[in-house]
Every structure is written in C-alpha cells, then in structure tokens.
Amino acid sequence: MRILVVEDDPMLLDGLSVGLGLAGFTVDAVQTCEDASSALAAQDYDAVVLDLMLPDGSGLDVLAALRRRKDATPVVLLTARDQVADRITGLDAGADDYVGKPFDLDELAARVRAAARRGLGRADTVLEWRGVTLDPARQTASRDGRGVPLTRREFGVLRALMERPGTTVSRAVLEEMLYGWQEEVESNAVEVHIHHLRGKLGAGFIKTVRGLGYRLAEESP
Amino acid sequence: MSSIRTRLFAVLVASTGLVWLLATLWIYVDTEAELERVLDARLTEAARMVRSLLAEGRVELALGGDAAAAAVAPAPAGDRPYDRQLSCQIWSLDGRLVGRSEDAPRDRLTDARSGFSETVIDGETWRVYTIEDAELGVRVMVGDNVRVRDRLVGGVITGLALPAGLIVPFLAAVIWFSLRRGMAPLNGMARMLSSRAASDLRPLPDENLPREIAPAVHALNGLFRRVEAAREREKSFTAFAAHELKTPLAGLKTQAQIALASGDGAVHANALRQISAGVDRVSRLVAQLLDLAAIEAGDRAPALTRAPVRPLVARVVAEMPPARDRAIVLAGAEDAAGPVARFEPALLTLALRNLIENAVNHAPEGGTVVVRVEAEAGRARIVVEDDGPGIPPAELPHVTERFFRGRGKSATGSGLGLSIAQEAMDQTGGALSLANRAAGGLAATLTLARQEEER
C-alpha cells in the first residue's frame, strides 16, 4: 500500500517514513506543498498523511486542490492545531481523518489503513480469498487457519491482488505499490515475489495473465 | 464619604445655606441701619414740625401753665402696631414741661440740649431728638421707643428668615435632583462597567461623552486596547509555542516507538540518534521561548551602557558551544580597539548568540561563520556571515517573524532565533538587517545606536 507523507519537520518525517514503513506501507515523503502537489499529480496513492503547517503554505490548500480535481484519495490530516474548530475545518475541507500531534504511531497507522480501506469501498478489515486470510493491521496471512510467514514485499503483492479480486493487476502497478521513489526496483522483483507466494500458498492461487499481469485464480486448480 | 454625589450634595447644601445665612445677616444689619436713619429723619422732621407750629403761633403755648394740660403734637397716623410711636415734649428753657403729646412720659425725655440722644425712662430706652428755640424759649423733644424700633427690624428679618427656612429644603431637593441628572453619565458608565464580565475588553462607547469623563473613558478604552493586544499576542504566542513544541514531540514519540518496535539494528540506532538530536532541539526551543518571554517581560527602556563592542563580541564567540565541524571566527586583530557604542549587554549578547547559532545551523559541513566588528559613520556594526544557502528573497521580510521557518530551514531551527535577535535589538535601540551575500550565504548585521547619541 503506497502512501504519501507530507511533513516539514525532518525528524518527524523520518519517523513517519520509517514507522509507517514498518507498519507495512510504502512511504513517499515530501516536505512542501509544492512537492506534495506534484507527487499527487504524478502518482496514485492509497492514502495521504498531510501536515497542515508547511513552509510554503497550508496543507489545506493541497487538500482543496486535490478535491477540486475530483481526486478521492483518502487524506489523514496531521497537525498540532487540534482545537475542535480546526478539526471541523479540516474535515469539512475534504479530509477523511484528523490526527493531532503528538500521536501514537500505531494509531496513525490504523487510521491510515482505515482511510485507505474506505477509499477502496471496503468495510472488512480482513481480506479473504479461497481459504487464504490476510490481516493488513497485523500484517499476517494464514491459509486454512494456519499462519503463513510472508515478507513485507510478498505481503504487499498479495494484498494488492486480494484487494482487487478478479481484477488483473499489471506488473508496473504492483511495482509502484511496492517501491517508493528512492528504492531501486530490480527488473524481475515482482516475478520473484509471485514465485515465492505461489510456493507458500499453492501454485494455482495466483494466475498469470500473459502480457497483462496477475490476478487471483477463480477456482481450485 | 465615598459617594461623589453625597459629597457634592453636602457641599452644595452647606454652601447654599451659608450664603443664605450671610445674606440674611447682611440684610438685617443693612435694614437696621436704614430703619434707624429713616426713623431718625422722622424724629427730626416731627420736631421741626412742632417747632414751626409753635413759631407760627398755631399752637398756644402755656408757658406758664400746667404741662399736663397741654396735649399737642399730631400723633402720626398709622396702623395698630405702630400707633403712637412718637412722643413729644415741649420744655421751656428754664426747665418746665409746657406741653406733651398723648402717652408721652411725664419725665423729661432727655437731658441733652439739642440733637439726638438716648435715655432710659422707666426701663424703656428712648431715642430722642431735641430742638432748642431760643426765640420761643422752648426746647422741643420728639422721641421714639426703641422697643418699637426693634420690633420693626424684627419684622423685616422674620419676613426674610421664614422664606429662607422654607426655601432651603426646597433648594436641597432641587440640588439633589440636579446632581442625579448631572451624574447620570458617570452612573451609566459605572453600571456598564460593573455589569460586564472581567474578560470583556470591548471599548466603552465614546460618543456624546461629557467633557469631564471623556478623558477617563478614553484612557480606559486605551487600556482596554492595550490589554486586548497583549492578550492576543500572548494567545498567538502560546498557540505557536504549543504548535512548535508538539511537532518535535510527535517526532520524538514516533522515533521512540520505532526504536521499541524495530528489531533491525540500523533502524534502532537511527531512531535513537534522532531522539537524541530531537531532545537537543526541544531543549533549545524551550530555552529560546524563555529568552523571548524574558525580553518581552523585560524593562521597556533598559539602561544602556556605553562600552567598546569588541570585548563583548569576543566573549560571545568564545562561549559558543562547539559547532560540530563548522568554525566560528572573529575577524580582526585580538587587540584592535573596536568602536564604542551604547547598548544593553544582556540583550546584545542574546541577539548575537542567536545570530551565530542561526549561521552555524545553516553553514554547510566544514563551513565557516565569520563575525566582524565594524565602525561606520560613528555607528558600530556587528556582522555575522555564513556560507550557507542564504535566504530566498521572497522569505527575507518574514524570517524575523516568530516561528517562521523557510524552505531552507535547518534541522535544529525553531524559527525563533532571528525573531529573538530582532526583538532584542528593538529594545536596545539598535537594528537587525539581513542580506544575502554576493558570494553566497547570509550576512546578518546588528547596527548599534550611535555612540554620541544620548538617550
């Protein structure tokens, strides 16, 4: 799940990148309104964590511009101004959630997950497909009740597919979801992850759609 | 007495009463004197009339006869209280009573030979006028009973005092009412002030104010405005301070949670490093907030001392904490006699230290911060130069605003340093100017008050 974090404080930005990364997100981090706007224009994110007081303007402006473009990307506002009036302003400007500083990292991660889930139009917190269960909050997967150990990337690929059952997801999209800007993507990285997943969940769980990408198999092999 | 109205009332009633009393006294004295004169004139006239009657022979004088028989002299026609006021006696020069008016005492009215005199006869005081007529050989005496005179004066005074006695309570009522009307604006103001909440700092309405309370209302409104402004400043300061503290605290908490959660040694170590740096930053921020609060709370016109600038600058530079691998250099010879200026040492130290810190924070690794003391046109200037990125021109006007942190901000900055320097210079009578150097980096200049300037 790829998210954009907009925060001007370097220490907090570092904490958010690392902390949300540990929580299973692929994090792109920017420090200004301008950079946030260009990132949002260039890339689809599952959610945005947006600070309000930025050096070149207010996060609310970024949010307003986003909503003007009919972009429904879930936005969690992050700010030290957490008076009720500020929260109301933020939510009415189109934010999906509002977290006051200082916050609990796990809570923030949960709120971002919830916002992203609602963004995909899902109510279930746990994904299920043919005996395989995926819990994004705990970052655990199980098959027929037995836990299956997955790496962070494998989990990301599986989640991307399970969030869109029956849909073919291209390799490029999977790469975008898995890797942030600074990360080097090896040319066959996605194939390797798919290969490992098949090994752990059964060879027929993920189908290859030649020339298009991957999707979950409909029936038992 | 704490009520102005009661006090005014007492003063006005007392002074009105006193004026009435004095007026009555004056009228009394004046009336008495006037009455005396009129009555004396009457005596003289009556005496002359009697004499002329005698002289023209209209009245028979029984010079040899019994005085008791002769009842002469016209009694003045008058109303009852003043009936028979005048008494007349006609004596021969050799001392026989030749005639007297009705009711006149039988005893001789006076021993004076002529003119006015007063005599006591049978316990009654008489005022008598005597004319001597040598041709006729008589002495005409016309007298007034003084008791009657006093009754006359008494009547006049009673006529004055009675209305006064009635008028003073009426006046008191009028004064009381007028005072109430007159004090209405004050009362209105007092009512308005006592009915509003302590936090209500709206100005009082100042239209159609009486001239007397206008200064008080204006002063009060001025005070309200200042308190309101101070409160606003404090509120925005607190809000900003809270904001600026919350962000690093959020960073600290996040990093601490990462340190707790991550098993990866590198991530763990990075988080701890961040926490350590973050604590330094928060400490510095708190110190700066306290500095700023101290400047704000400080004396508005601090005592300036006249001293050479360079020793202070040298001390501040020497006392700066080691700045990682950025060098802080004080340019110029150690013993150079620098310019002299007027300044407040503590404020100047604060301003300079914050500028140097700012420069150090923005200088690149291995960079140099140069501090110079210059004299130009009688002014002492302290210039702090760094070789960092400088400040984008669009941000230059804003960097001295509190908590402003531009795009080129450093990791440890709080956005307060330049603002502290600015406020400290404002108070010590100097100026702070910022400019980007042609060679790159920022030059911050503190210009101190002219050394000749006496404040």
Side-chain angles (χ1 to χ4, degrees):
Chain A
M1 194 181 272
R2 188 158 178 176
I3 62 170
L4 177 68
V5 173
V6 189
E7 163 62 57
D8 64 329
D9 183 87
M11 178 174 62
L12 182 55
L13 185 62
D14 177 85
L16 287 172
S17 304
V18 176
L20 292 176
L22 288 176
F25 296 100
T26 303
V27 180
D28 285 341
V30 294
Q31 289 190 301
T32 61
C33 288
E34 200 186 323
D35 294 348
S37 297
S38 13
L40 283 166
Q43 175 93 45
D44 275 337
Y45 289 98
D46 292 297
V48 180
V49 174
L50 181 61
D51 185 28
L52 281 188
M53 282 175 106
L54 295 167
D56 58 342
S58 167
L60 283 179
D61 299 336
V62 177
L63 177 58
L66 191 70
R67 296 296 182 240
R68 262 201 308 278
R69 290 201 308 266
K70 306 281 179 221
D71 189 331
T73 305
V75 172
V76 177
L77 289 181
L78 196 60
T79 183
R81 280 198 310 210
D82 56 352
Q83 299 291 311
V84 176
D86 296 323
R87 268 177 272 169
I88 292 172
T89 311
L91 292 174
D92 281 348
D96 296 81
D97 206 345
Y98 200 103
V99 178
K101 294 177 187 172
F103 48 82
D104 187 283
L105 188 58
D106 297 334
E107 185 194 343
L108 178 68
R111 284 178 184 272
V112 172
R113 267 197 303 274
R117 195 167 60 231
R118 285 195 298 271
L120 288 169
R122 252 182 337 107
D124 295 339
T125 55
V126 178
L127 302 165
E128 272 189 281
W129 187 257
R130 291 177 50 214
V132 174
T133 311
L134 200 65
D135 184 346
R138 294 198 185 79
Q139 293 194 69
T140 55
S142 60
R143 188 186 181 200
D144 302 326
R146 278 186 306 149
V148 179
L150 296 178
T151 67
R152 196 160 73 81
R153 306 275 195 218
E154 286 162 10
F155 188 89
V157 170
L158 186 56
R159 179 161 75 178
L161 292 174
M162 286 181 75
E163 274 170 349
R164 301 157 181 84
T167 314
T168 303
V169 184
S170 73
R171 202 183 78 172
V173 168
L174 284 175
E175 275 176 1
E176 258 183 17
M177 281 180 185
L178 292 186
Y179 296 93
W181 296 327
Q182 282 89 23
E183 291 170 295
E184 206 57 43
V185 190
E186 306 214 355
S187 60
N188 63 345
V190 173
E191 276 97 333
V192 173
H193 296 317
I194 296 281
H195 176 75
H196 287 153
L197 282 171
R198 282 180 177 145
K200 288 172 181 173
L201 300 170
F205 191 73
I206 300 169
K207 274 180 78 174
T208 304
V209 184
R210 208 154 294 282
L212 289 176
Y214 304 91
R215 67 177 168 85
L216 298 179
E218 303 279 341
E219 308 124 24
S220 302
Chain B
M1 211 181 294
S2 59
S3 158
I4 292 181
R5 186 163 27 145
T6 316
R7 191 158 45 190
L8 268 179
F9 178 71
V11 167
L12 282 176
V13 169
S15 52
T16 313
L18 191 69
V19 167
W20 266 99
L21 198 70
L22 287 176
T24 312
L25 261 174
W26 185 24
I27 292 169
Y28 172 78
V29 170
D30 196 52
T31 308
E32 200 175 31
E34 189 67 21
L35 211 61
E36 207 87 340
R37 225 173 46 240
V38 170
L39 293 177
D40 281 356
R42 195 174 64 166
L43 286 185
T44 318
E45 206 164 314
R48 285 198 186 116
M49 205 189 297
V50 171
R51 192 191 58 176
S52 69
L53 288 174
L54 290 173
E56 286 165 24
R58 296 212 192 159
V59 180
E60 198 83 10
L61 251 189
L63 277 173
D66 185 9
V72 283
D79 292 313
R80 269 154 283 138
Y82 304 118
D83 273 357
R84 300 193 192 98
Q85 278 181 357
L86 294 181
S87 297
C88 181
Q89 290 178 339
I90 304 164
W91 294 80
S92 64
L93 287 180
D94 54 6
R96 278 180 305 115
L97 179 65
V98 283
R100 70 175 177 95
S101 63
E102 201 184 342
D103 287 352
R106 284 171 184 280
D107 293 342
R108 190 182 172 94
L109 274 172
T110 180
D111 294 328
R113 303 173 71 85
S114 68
F116 286 103
S117 58
E118 282 182 17
T119 331
V120 178
I121 301 163
D122 295 338
E124 303 253 10
T125 308
W126 289 81
R127 174 111 173 134
V128 184
Y129 183 70
T130 313
I131 302 180
E132 197 182 73
D133 193 326
E135 250 173 69
L136 291 169
V138 292
R139 203 172 265 134
V140 179
M141 300 174 184
V142 180
D144 248 345
N145 190 331
V146 169
R147 188 164 45 84
V148 177
R149 283 189 167 198
D150 286 347
R151 210 168 61 219
L152 223 58
V153 175
V156 172
I157 296 306
T158 316
L160 269 169
L162 206 67
L166 291 172
I167 273 172
V168 166
F170 176 69
L171 261 182
V174 169
I175 288 171
W176 183 253
F177 180 72
S178 313
L179 280 178
R180 263 183 58 165
R181 288 297 304 270
M183 306 274 285
L186 262 187
N187 288 339
M189 197 170 103
R191 234 188 345 265
M192 197 151 41
L193 282 178
S194 59
S195 68
R196 57 162 64 184
S199 58
D200 185 357
L201 292 178
R202 278 176 300 132
L204 294 170
D206 57 355
E207 284 157 22
N208 304 324
L209 278 181
R211 219 170 342 144
E212 291 79 2
I213 62 169
V217 171
H218 290 323
L220 213 53
N221 283 347
L223 179 67
F224 281 160
R225 269 192 298 279
R226 284 197 303 281
V227 170
E228 180 73 42
R231 216 167 57 167
E232 272 312 306
R233 257 203 321 275
E234 206 167 280
K235 220 153 69 182
S236 71
F237 180 77
T238 316
F240 269 113
H243 175 263
E244 290 304 307
L245 280 169
K246 276 177 174 178
T247 299
L249 285 178
L252 283 177
K253 182 164 170 110
T254 310
Q255 297 288 359
Q257 284 187 301
I258 292 167
L260 283 174
S262 171
D264 186 330
V267 172
H268 193 83
N270 177 58
L272 289 180
R273 250 195 321 278
Q274 293 272 1
I275 289 173
S276 171
V279 169
D280 286 348
R281 202 178 110 203
V282 174
S283 316
R284 181 156 170 268
L285 176 60
V286 169
Q288 285 184 320
L289 282 174
L290 292 177
D291 281 348
L292 203 53
I295 296 176
E296 289 242 301
D299 196 348
R300 279 285 136 192
L304 305 185
T305 50
R306 191 162 168 274
V309 177
R310 197 181 160 87
L312 182 139
V313 175
R315 200 173 60 245
V316 174
V317 168
E319 283 172 0
M320 288 305 291
R324 300 187 295 284
D325 53 355
R326 287 129 177 117
I328 307 172
V329 179
L330 177 57
E334 192 82 357
D335 54 348
V340 173
R342 298 180 66 78
F343 56 84
E344 206 285 311
L347 289 173
L348 184 60
T349 303
L350 203 56
L352 186 57
R353 207 176 55 216
N354 275 285
L355 285 186
I356 297 177
E357 269 178 20
N358 190 60
V360 168
N361 286 338
H362 288 91
E365 295 265 331
T368 309
V369 172
V370 180
V371 183
R372 281 183 289 122
V373 179
E374 298 173 344
E376 194 186 277
R379 282 173 189 273
R381 296 199 308 188
I382 307 168
V383 186
V384 180
E385 293 172 341
D386 64 58
D387 43 9
I391 297 176
E395 291 180 3
L396 262 179
H398 302 293
V399 287
T400 54
E401 289 168 16
R402 280 173 187 184
F403 299 115
F404 180 90
R405 299 181 68 203
R407 306 198 59 166
K409 68 191 168 187
S410 64
T412 51
S414 62
L416 278 177
L418 292 177
S419 158
I420 290 175
Q422 177 77 63
E423 294 221 7
M425 289 318 284
D426 284 350
Q427 291 223 3
T428 192
L432 164 67
S433 56
L434 299 166
N436 287 312
R437 296 166 63 213
L442 184 75
T445 308
L446 297 176
T447 308
L448 297 173
R450 219 173 251 279
Q451 69 174 85
E452 311 86 22
E453 266 173 2
E454 293 295 329
R455 293 223 313 184

